[in-house]
Amino acid sequence: MTYIAKPKFHHPGLKKNELGYTHRDYEGKISTLCAGCGHDSITASIIEACYELSIEPHRVAKISGIGCSSKTPDYFLGNSHGFNSVHGRMPSVLTGANLANRDLIYLGVSGDGDSASIGFGQFAHSIRRGVNMTYIVENNGVYGLTKGQFSATADRGSKSKKGVTNTDNAIDLVAIALQLGATFVARSFSGDKSQLVPLIAAAIGHKGASFIDVISPCIAFNNHAGSTKSFDYVREHNDAVNRLDVLVGRDPIAVDYAPGTVQVVEQHDGSKIALRKIDADYDPHDRLGAQTFLAKHAAKGQIVTGLLYVDPDAEDLHEHLNTIETPLNTLEADTLCPGSAVLDKINASLR
Amino acid sequence: MSDKKPISSVNDFVVRFANVNGSGSASANEMFARAILRHGVPVSPRNIFPSNIQGLPTWYEVRVTEDGHLGARGGVDMMVAMNPQTWDKDVAGIEPGGYLFYDSTKPMPSTKFRDDITVIGVPLTAITNSTYTDPRQRQLFKNIIYLGALSALLDMDPKLIEQLIGEQYKSKEKLLSSNVHALHLGRDWALQNLKCPIGLRVKKSDKVGDRIFIEGNSAAALGAVYGGATVCAWYPITPSSSVAEAFTAHCQKYRHDPETGKAKYAIVQGEDELASIGIVIGASWNGARAFTATSGPGISLMTEFIGLSYFAEIPAVIMNIQRAGPSTGMPTRTQQCDIIACAYASHGDTKHVLLFPEDPAEAFEFAAAAFDLAERLQTTIFLMLDLDIGMNHRLCRPLKWDDARQYDRGKIMTAEMLEEGRDFGRYLDVDGDGIPYRTYPGTHPTKGSYFTRGTSRDRYARYSEEGTVYADNMQRLVRKFETAQDLVPRPLQANAERPTKYGVIYFGSTSPAMDEAIGLLETRGHQLDRLRIRAFPFHSSVASFLAEHDFVYVVEQNRDSQLRQLIVNENGIDPVRLVPIVHYDGSPITARYIAKAIGDHQDHLKVTPLRKAVS
């Protein structure tokens, strides 16, 4: 959130998408995060993905909790409704919003403090319910707004800026999401926009609970030697299992990756994810395999990134609840109220 | 041999059943109450149960009341003592001259009885064992057998009970005939071996009229259906769980699209109370009518979100079925003890709307109205029930609905209004009532979007920590709360036959006991004007009532006289003029208790200087 509105003017020659929108139409206010914050890179990737998908910005509801990451929805999709709820409780608010109107796109933005500590339960339960959402954790392993305390995703043995060693085990949100039945699970790095943009685009196209854990170094409090969430550390230990193209019936969002085997996965909305395999053994349709792969690489100190698991036939919460296609928030008394004649019968049955 | 004349009363007595939880007695006991209703005689039953699952004591009390007094009376005229564990306490609780009904299969020492009561033994176990071989059948039918014996002792019409059994097992012929058989086993044994009827009798009457018999929680859930709730998120907690369960049942019956079979509702059992209220707030923010049902501990957990609802101005409906606190307190006992916790829930300066229904009929009406109020006022509305109304069947007027009624969706700025160029500021008070317009997410491509947050912002929802901006917003919230005074149900006043300088204020489930207490007080020569408060914020008539009386009793079911505190706080009245009458042992307040407390105080006033008497 910011005091400063972004100027409206822009170059008339800016490229437009299918809807005639430019990048500027997907931007929000000026970020007040620290210069160089990984979260701003994620914001840029969200803007890029929404632009490429030609999403109507106002059809997105962006919901967050509290913290640095949760401030970011103010910085993208300025014509969307946003909701800064309370610390860690974004998932329940998003779940309710989704139940009220299944026609909007729900983007949940959270942080590691938000999702892995106070909101760990809500994170877990929104995933297991299969809420149709794109849940992005901007993961820097540290509490930035309160100046540098470890979060629950900080690796054991990593050092804080003040030199304190973390003695607690880390929570791996990706591993948890896989275990809980998320039907789209990915990890990326804020500094790898070419990987992150198509991942976000594919997650938005996925019907069901999409989870992306984005390592996003905190430039102020967690980008030093000894941190395992610093830019340098992540670049050195990043092991990408695949690169993505998202095809939406026209140009792919991102192409020109290193050649390899291509596997195309069609999503519920008709979009296609082209997975360009880098690791020949990696199968993103195998949940158990993904869990094992993740654990093996974590033991080696490697950060696995890419699309780790996807179920293209996933169902969402509305399907589980068998709700009508019409958004619930549009229903009025004529549809919802059983009426006085029914009430008379109810009264009669209660005598 | 009794040394006290047996109580003799027609259609005016209390029967209490002492059972073991899980023995299947509940349906037989409820059938007993319903059977008396079918005689045209009002009843007021209450479940009395400790917080346990199975094997521990449970009681069911039926007040038979020709005069229609629906509050608890206190005292037991007849004890159906089916639980050896509680025998001594149960026997001790019988009024002198009362009756003890027990299973006489095994002989008991005379020390286990009392001389001033009539003891009625029926060899229930012997009868069941000689008739049934299956252990479960023996247990279940024993309850029906004692129902049959009671019907003979109390002179009840067996056909009316048979009719009830027929309705209960409409399509289960085998169960129907076996239950009727068990009923007559007990009835015939009593008629052949006992002097029937006893002094307590049920005589056909016409005092029930068209009233219905329903639990408050079920009525509130039905109110949510009629009020247009489409999203329910909840977490199980006694005594509120049956609200969500009844809402589910009602929705499954009335809320499916006839063509597709799909649900026009969404019900989520949250992982906790925090998630439940979060879902409600998210759904309401997005334009659906949503609610949760909980009890005191749940309110504690929800308070952070309730503050968000107040400050970010998001509708929400919370049905709080109060139980005895604090902390876990007594989970299965009733109180009205969350008044302050709900009125000012969350940190900072907050005030919330509370509705206080007196019975299931008002629970239905207020539940439906809560959704209109929540959307009109864009804030949390609390429906303040309690266990006594929520989990007990209560006789009340039939539920009514006006088919012409449309939902009040409050101030919604539509795409058309935005296109017309209407000035949209999410927190802009354009009408002077403190209530701003809101837009639903997705309304318009370029206009009407805003950022919802719990942090301070200006009238156009722009983040701001300017002191004047913050204060401006807080003042508008006060204006909105003042607007609410005229939207919520007004207090109902009833004046004494003669002018009096004394008044009494009460609310919610205290109502039937209070109505009865007035009659008892009149017999002691005390005249009181009555005001039943039905909502917070208080209507101006509350202040008028206080001004018109020298002092006023405030009757409530909590230790600290919480409604009195709220009245003092909100009206700036001298506390000495409000006399607390409190009852908080977890049982429902009785007319006898109220009449004694007020009557004694009134007597005291006659001989003591005012200031000393009320301090």
Side-chain angles (χ1 to χ4, degrees), chain B residues 257-278:
Chain B
D257 182 63
E259 288 177 15
T260 62
K262 287 181 176 286
K264 292 185 277 187
Y265 61 90
I267 300 169
V268 175
Q269 183 181 317
E271 59 270 29
D272 53 34
E273 285 88 347
L274 293 83
S276 301
I277 186 66

Side-chain angles (χ1 to χ4, degrees), chain A residues 260-273:
Chain A
T261 316
V262 175
Q263 185 173 358
V264 176
V265 178
E266 184 166 348
Q267 302 223 93
H268 77 283
D269 63 350
S271 66
K272 292 183 174 68
I273 307 171

Side-chain angles (χ1 to χ4, degrees), chain B residues 3-36:
Chain B
D3 63 359
K4 165 101 179 149
K5 191 180 172 193
I7 297 170
S8 181
S9 179
V10 177
N11 293 350
D12 186 9
F13 55 87
V14 173
V15 179
R16 182 180 281 193
F17 299 84
N19 295 104
V20 178
N21 208 352
S23 63
S25 58
S27 62
N29 296 347
E30 191 183 314
M31 197 174 286
F32 173 79
R34 287 180 182 278
I36 293 168

Side-chain angles (χ1 to χ4, degrees), chain A residues 333-351:
Chain A
D334 57 345
T335 310
L336 295 174
C337 184
S340 62
V342 169
L343 200 56
D344 289 343
K345 284 184 188 167
I346 294 172
N347 282 325
S349 72
L350 296 169
R351 295 193 174 108

